[in-house]
Amino acid sequence: MTAHTSIAGGDRLDAATRQEIAARLQALARQLDDHMAAQRERLSAEASATSNTFIAGSEGAVASAEDDDAMALLRHDEAELKRVREAQARLAEADFGRCSECGEWIGRERLLAVPQAHLCVACQTDAERQHRVRAAQIG
Ligand SMILES: [Zn+2]
């Protein structure tokens, strides 16, 4: 009966694992910060380029499509950074590592791979499926 929880991969995290996750979250936050700074730089460089090409006509449209991509990337990074910050805040809590949807332990392996994860694999799969269904309905 006690062996069952370890087979499921769900278990309370030990101090060493928490430390490793903390280090990974910090590295991730730094990476995202760098990436976002680079995107912002690109956007402002393109903004000045766009104001020049705008008068020329069609080139402006191409530049703004690229801006949309850069903006989408930036928003993605911002959302990701928010999740990282939230995970960093949760790390201090005894409950860190529990799925925010079903309350099961997410599992050491998954948290080391995706330290900002707040859903277990099953709930994540569900969420992604629902997201795809919604996207299909809109599109
Ligand atoms: Zn779950």
Side-chain angles (χ1 to χ4, degrees), residues 99-104 119-124:
C99 174
S100 65
E101 192 67 36
C102 68
E104 291 293 318
L119 294 173
C120 69
V121 176
C123 291
Q124 179 73 49

Side-chain angles (χ1 to χ4, degrees), residues 12-24 91 108 112:
R12 196 175 283 272
L13 301 164
D14 54 55
T17 305
R18 277 176 190 256
Q19 247 166 40
E20 201 170 335
I21 290 169
R24 278 173 200 239
L91 198 57
R108 187 177 179 275
L112 287 176

